[in-house]
Each structure stands twice: as structure tokens, then as C-alpha cells.
């Protein structure tokens, strides 16, 4: 019996172009579901032939969808390489702005028994999140074009980051110029990617059709936070917001140009502290993008 494939032995790397080699980018991760889903074109689902049975001779191979998630605890040097792939623009003196296009890149996953390489990958959604007592996480929902499988041992020798992840307790939240305490956050950058299949079983292009940015937080519900519920309900103006995580001489700053509330009345769940769940959509205001990341 051959040895088992253990998740602890898996590896992940990105690269701007093939082939993967010693200059490729290794990344820590906590889980990967990125992979291929093969479909079938079954004529028997529509054709009538005097029987409910489907015959194998009238089945063809259908589209191949490359998609899935990569989840990681984010560290400064790895995030610096990922942000342009989320927002579309190159770094400009620590600042990452929104762009109209989303760049493609290649992904290699060493799954021990085999190595899989994915080409033409783009980040459909980037979900940053954190809760009290835990690292700040990033989930990248990725859509790609092709998958290639190769023999074990093809993953290059790469050196992983030794930097510490950002943690939730390092966060500072400012809404409308006022600093608030909070115990969780989620911010979603959605590029609304649409794969196109032009006379091909695999995607021939992946188009960014739209972009939306959302922020969700949970604060206590006291007289200090009550206006966060009342004010947005009575006004279309919205407010500015920033969310910052600082680790030593490194910092991660999300600047939201204008956020508007999807107000929700605070629920009472038993005898514990009443909290105010808040959900916002971010919008561009003047020349200020809906989201600017400074890192």
C-alpha cells in the first residue's frame, strides 16, 4: 500500500507566467478548493426514444470549469504580491488603487500524489475577514482557464515567508471620523468575473463585468453606536470609513470613499450583550475610489 497524501505536505505557488521555477511565489494557506469540474452533454436528457434510459453512445464531454477558493492568514510580504491581482493596479508608493481590468496569473498546487497547474487565473472575489482572538484571513475565490496534472516532485524549491500574520486585535475602525470598537469584520471586493467559452470546452477569456465593495462589522449597541443605525437610515449622504491593521512597521489600511448603510435593527439574542450588526456598500465619491488599499 502506498503512503497517504497528507495535507501538511501540500504546497502553493503563484507566477505571472509559465514555467514555475525558483523565482515563483510561494504562499502559506489553510485550505484550497481550486480545481476542475468536468461536465457532460447528455442527449438523453432531451431526446425521446421510447425509453427513460440514457444511452452512453449519445454522451459527449462538456465544459470544464476551473474555480475554487484559496484561504490564508495574511502576512505583509505575501499580501503585497496579491493586492495587484485583486484590485488590478500596480503598487504606487505603498498605495493600491482600483483598476478596470483584472490581471491573470498562474497557480501551482502540489497535492503530494500529483501536482496541478492552473492557467489564466483571476480573482473573482477577495474576502478579508477577522474575529476577536484570531488572525486576519483572506479568501480568494478564483476562476481559471485550464488545469494540467503532472507527476509528484515537480514543485520547485521555494522559500516561504517567515513574517507574522496580521491579527484582529491590531485593528482600528473609524466610521465618519469616529473610532469604534468592534469584534468582527468582513470586507468583500467582488470583480464579478464571467468566463467565456467560445467554441472551446475551456474558458477562452474571463471578463470583469462589474465591481462592488462591501463592508460588514459588528459593534456593541450603546449610546455611542446608536447613531450608526439612526443616521444612515435618515440620510442618503453616507459616511467615509477606514479600517487599519498595524504590525510593527507594517500596516494595512482600507480606505472607503463613501459607504452607505444597509441598516438592520439590532437583534436581542438571549441575555448577552446586544450588538449592532452593520452592513455597508462602498461607492466612489468624486475622484476617490470606493476602496483604496495602502500597505
Amino acid at each position: 500500500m502506498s503512503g497517504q497524501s497528507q495535507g501538511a505536505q501540500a504546497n502553493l505557488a503563484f507566477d505571472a507566467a509559465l514555467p514555475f521555477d525558483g523565482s515563483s511565489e510561494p504562499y502559506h494557506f489553510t485550505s484550497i478548493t481550486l480545481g476542475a469540474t468536468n461536465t457532460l452533454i447528455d442527449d438523453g436528457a432531451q431526446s425521446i426514444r421510447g425509453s427513460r434510459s440514457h444511452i452512453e453512445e449519445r454522451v459527449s464531454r462538456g465544459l470544464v470549469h476551473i474555480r475554487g477558493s484559496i484561504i490564508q492568514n495574511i502576512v505583509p510580504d505575501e499580501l503585497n504580491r496579491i493586492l495587484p491581482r485583486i484590485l488590478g493596479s500596480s503598487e504606487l508608493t505603498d498605495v493600491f488603487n482600483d483598476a478596470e481590468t483584472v490581471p491573470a496569473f498562474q497557480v501551482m498546487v502540489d497535492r503530494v500524489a500529483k501536482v496541478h497547474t492552473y492557467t489564466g487565473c483571476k480573482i473573482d472575489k477577495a474576502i478579508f475577514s477577522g474575529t476577536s482572538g484570531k488572525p486576519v484571513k483572506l479568501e480568494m475565490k478564483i476562476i481559471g482557464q485550464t488545469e494540467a496534472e503532472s507527476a509528484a516532485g515537480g514543485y520547485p524549491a521555494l522559500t516561504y515567508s517567515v513574517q507574522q500574520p496580521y491579527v484582529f486585535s491590531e485593528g482600528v475602525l473609524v466610521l465618519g471620523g469616529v473610532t469604534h470598537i468592534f469584534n468582527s469584520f468582513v470586507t468583500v471586493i467582488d470583480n464579478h468575473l464571467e468566463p467565456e467559452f467560445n467554441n472551446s470546452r475551456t474558458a477562452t477569456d474571463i471578463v470583469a463585468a462589474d465591481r462592488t465593495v462591501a463592508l460588514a462589522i459588528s459593534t456593541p449597541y450603546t449610546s455611542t453606536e446608536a447613531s450608526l443605525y439612526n443616521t444612515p437610515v435618515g440620510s442618503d449622504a453616507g459616511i467615509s470609513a477606514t479600517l487599519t491593521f498595524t504590525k510593527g512597521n507594517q500596516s494595512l489600511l482600507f480606505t472607503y470613499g463613501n459607504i452607505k448603510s444597509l441598516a438592520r435593527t439590532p437583534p436581542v439574542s438571549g441575555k448577552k450583550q446586544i450588538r449592532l450588526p452593520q452592513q455597508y456598500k462602498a461607492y466612489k465619491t468624486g475622484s476617490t475610489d470606493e476602496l483604496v488599499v495602502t500597505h
Side-chain angles (χ1 to χ4, degrees):
M1 179 178 177
S2 61
Q4 297 180 353
S5 296
Q6 296 286 347
Q9 305 303 315
N11 288 282
L12 168 68
F14 292 176
D15 207 320
L18 298 176
F20 281 82
D21 54 28
S23 64
S24 299
E25 309 162 9
Y27 290 93
H28 294 84
F29 67 95
T30 60
S31 70
I32 293 177
T33 61
L34 178 64
T37 300
N38 291 271
T39 63
L40 297 173
I41 300 173
D42 181 359
D43 175 73
Q46 297 176 324
S47 295
I48 299 170
R49 53 180 296 273
S51 171
R52 291 186 294 117
S53 296
H54 296 201
I55 58 174
E56 61 91 9
E57 292 87 352
R58 294 179 69 91
V59 177
S60 303
R61 298 173 68 194
L63 301 181
V64 180
H65 296 277
I66 306 297
R67 61 176 63 234
S69 293
I70 297 174
I71 301 175
Q72 61 177 188
N73 299 326
I74 56 174
V75 298
D77 54 353
E78 293 184 354
L79 183 60
N80 239 36
R81 300 191 297 261
I82 291 174
L83 283 170
R85 293 171 174 142
I86 296 172
L87 297 170
S89 65
S90 299
E91 178 183 357
L92 182 61
T93 317
D94 297 334
V95 176
F96 300 83
N97 292 289
D98 297 328
E100 293 304 312
T101 59
V102 177
F105 60 101
Q106 327 310 318
V107 178
M108 176 177 278
V109 182
D110 177 2
R111 291 186 167 98
V112 186
K114 296 286 185 179
V115 176
H116 297 94
T117 301
Y118 302 94
T119 64
C121 295
K122 295 184 179 182
I123 297 176
D124 183 29
K125 290 183 182 179
I127 304 170
F128 293 88
S129 65
T131 58
S132 296
K134 295 183 179 180
V136 178
K137 295 194 306 181
L138 168 61
E139 178 179 1
M140 294 174 280
K141 292 185 178 292
I142 293 173
I143 298 177
Q145 291 180 282
T146 67
E147 177 190 69
E149 185 179 78
S150 57
Y155 186 87
L158 299 172
T159 302
Y160 283 87
S161 170
V162 294
Q163 293 186 351
Q164 293 180 335
Y166 289 106
V167 297
F168 183 82
S169 59
E170 298 162 344
V172 176
L173 173 69
V174 180
L175 300 173
V178 179
T179 301
H180 292 276
I181 59 175
F182 63 117
N183 75 350
S184 67
F185 87 96
V186 178
T187 195
V188 181
I189 304 160
D190 190 342
N191 287 314
H192 295 266
L193 297 184
E194 295 182 357
E196 295 187 350
F197 297 84
N198 295 296
N199 60 291
S200 172
R201 293 183 59 238
T202 58
T204 54
D205 198 3
I206 301 172
V207 178
D210 199 358
R211 179 176 55 241
T212 53
V213 176
L215 171 65
I217 55 175
S218 174
T219 70
Y221 183 56
T222 70
S223 58
T224 301
E225 293 82 24
S227 63
L228 293 174
Y229 175 74
N230 294 325
T231 302
V233 170
S235 171
D236 294 330
I239 55 177
S240 62
T242 62
L243 178 60
T244 311
F245 295 91
T246 303
K247 178 172 289 296
N249 63 350
Q250 302 280 349
S251 65
L252 170 61
L253 167 63
F254 298 96
T255 300
Y256 305 87
N258 180 275
I259 59 172
K260 299 184 188 297
S261 174
L262 302 168
R264 177 186 171 192
T265 306
V268 178
S269 303
K271 298 181 178 181
K272 59 186 179 182
Q273 183 186 56
I274 298 175
R275 302 195 65 84
L276 177 61
Q278 300 163 61
Q279 296 184 13
Y280 297 93
K281 290 189 71 175
Y283 295 89
K284 185 172 183 175
T285 175
S287 61
T288 303
D289 286 339
E290 57 268 44
L291 177 64
V292 175
V293 180
T294 305
H295 186 246

